[in-house]
Amino acid sequence: VQLSSKNLSNQTLLLRIGQLEEYLERVGEPTKFKIDLDFRDNPKVTDTDLEFDGFGRLVTFLKKFGSFVTRLRIGGTGISGSGLCELIDFIKMGAAEELDFSNLPGVEQFEVVALLMAVKESQQYPLQKSLPLLLRLDRNGLEKPHEIIAMVSQDLCCEVLTDPCELQKATVARNKVHRGEAELTEVMISLPEFYLQSEEAVTTPVPKTPKSAPSTPEKKPLNLRAKAQAPPPPPPLMEEVEEEELPVVGSLPKAFCGSRAKKASPVVSILPLANPKPPDHHPPAHVMWKNLSTSAKARK
């Protein structure tokens, strides 16, 4: 029955437990079943509601079918420490493999001691002499969890799992038990993260990564030769275009020598001269010839 984080109320819990009980009575032969009850993270479920006593119906159900319930998880609900004490008779049945009673309000030290001693009085743990009871009692606001362990360690053998490697090792060992490959143990109770009693504590600690020296970036050799090279010259503003020379006959181009001259190829481009020649203000040659005197013409 997986009803974690379903915003259950006492009335809803009362109806669900009643439906489950009717189903088991109708089917019969409950020995074929292993019941898993998960009511975690439903803070509206309490043990103080007298009108809709859902938790009281749960206690009655466990007294009747508790020998088939292997897992009960009520962590994160509004059930107090006095409500946990009502589950002592169920714990003494010795059928549970996992109990989650974490993150509950108003749990006192003597109530936790009573739960732990009920495990010893059952005389059933470790199950099959190889499977301890996995009991979560972390984040309950206990002030001195170390004193509780010291108080009960004289009467029962329990272990507190704090390291992630220990949690993983315990999980592997539990899987071997179900396959019939587990080793014998004297541990009766496994208490994961029992010393974490603050509400802000993280349920599963993050494994620490080994510290290593900071890696320095690899230094690349400087390319001094590349820096010494001069930058390439900028592109010219105007491309130089060679003019095709025309064949010259006498003092004039052949293109101006009549129809016998071959046609010249067109000029590709005309470039302005850098220093143009100043215009000649003298009159044409034939005018100057007319203006010469007769003696000057004879000399010419």
Side-chain angles (χ1 to χ4, degrees):
V1 181
Q2 303 295 326
L3 294 174
S4 61
S5 303
K6 297 296 184 180
N7 197 23
L8 295 181
S9 62
N10 291 321
Q11 183 178 5
T12 308
L13 180 61
L14 182 65
L15 295 175
R16 293 300 179 90
I17 295 299
Q19 293 173 356
L20 177 60
E21 187 173 353
E22 292 176 1
Y23 172 77
L24 294 176
E25 290 177 350
R26 184 174 65 253
V27 172
E29 297 183 3
T31 55
K32 296 181 180 179
F33 300 97
K34 286 187 177 182
I35 304 175
D36 181 355
L37 301 177
D38 188 357
F39 303 120
R40 290 174 299 171
D41 300 326
N42 289 295
K44 295 182 181 179
V45 175
T46 65
D47 58 331
T48 57
D49 193 344
L50 300 179
E51 182 179 1
F52 300 102
D53 192 6
F55 179 73
R57 186 63 181 270
L58 175 61
V59 174
T60 304
F61 174 83
L62 292 174
K63 290 180 180 180
K64 188 174 182 179
F65 298 99
S67 57
F68 310 108
V69 177
T70 58
R71 182 178 296 172
L72 175 62
R73 291 181 284 185
I74 57 175
T77 62
I79 300 173
S80 63
S82 59
L84 293 181
C85 292
E86 297 183 29
L87 301 175
I88 289 179
D89 292 337
F90 162 66
I91 295 175
K92 290 181 179 181
M93 292 181 182
E97 298 177 3
E98 179 180 348
L99 300 175
D100 185 354
F101 300 156
S102 63
N103 196 16
L104 299 177
V107 179
E108 301 294 337
Q109 179 172 335
F110 70 92
E111 295 167 341
V112 173
V113 174
L115 293 176
L116 298 177
M117 297 305 298
V119 176
K120 179 188 177 183
E121 294 174 5
S122 67
Q123 298 181 356
Q124 299 294 330
Y125 297 97
L127 297 176
Q128 304 176 15
K129 298 183 179 181
S130 56
L131 182 61
L133 173 64
L134 185 64
L135 178 57
R136 284 195 55 185
L137 289 167
D138 55 285
R139 295 190 299 171
N140 285 327
L142 300 174
E143 296 181 357
K144 300 178 180 180
H146 294 80
E147 292 185 2
I148 297 176
I149 299 299
M151 188 182 305
V152 301
S153 59
Q154 299 178 359
D155 300 320
L156 56 87
C157 181
C158 59
E159 61 179 358
V160 178
L161 306 177
T162 57
D163 190 81
C165 297
E166 295 178 350
L167 295 174
Q168 184 177 4
K169 185 178 179 181
T171 303
V172 173
R174 298 179 73 84
N175 295 333
K176 289 182 178 181
V177 171
H178 297 293
R179 296 195 304 263
E181 303 174 357
E183 299 178 356
L184 301 179
T185 182
E186 296 181 358
V187 179
M188 300 179 183
I189 308 174
S190 294
L191 298 169
E193 304 167 345
F194 180 68
Y195 297 140
L196 298 178
Q197 292 298 326
S198 174
E199 293 182 359
E200 293 79 12
V202 180
T203 304
T204 304
V206 179
K208 297 181 180 179
T209 55
K211 295 182 179 180
S212 58
S215 58
T216 56
E218 182 181 357
K219 295 184 179 180
K220 297 183 179 180
L222 298 177
N223 191 357
L224 301 177
R225 186 174 299 177
K227 291 185 178 181
Q229 295 179 357
L237 299 178
M238 181 181 295
E239 296 182 0
E240 298 180 359
V241 182
E242 296 182 359
E243 296 185 0
E244 184 177 353
E245 297 182 358
L246 299 177
V248 180
V249 177
S251 61
L252 294 176
K254 189 176 181 180
F256 299 94
C257 295
S259 60
R260 293 177 298 174
K262 297 182 180 180
K263 293 183 179 181
S265 59
V267 179
V268 178
S269 63
I270 300 175
L271 298 177
L273 297 176
N275 298 317
K277 186 177 180 182
D280 191 1
H281 299 286
H282 297 284
H286 64 282
V287 176
M288 296 178 63
W289 177 264
K290 290 182 179 181
N291 295 334
L292 290 176
S293 60
T294 305
S295 59
K297 290 180 179 180
R299 289 195 299 269
K300 291 288 183 179

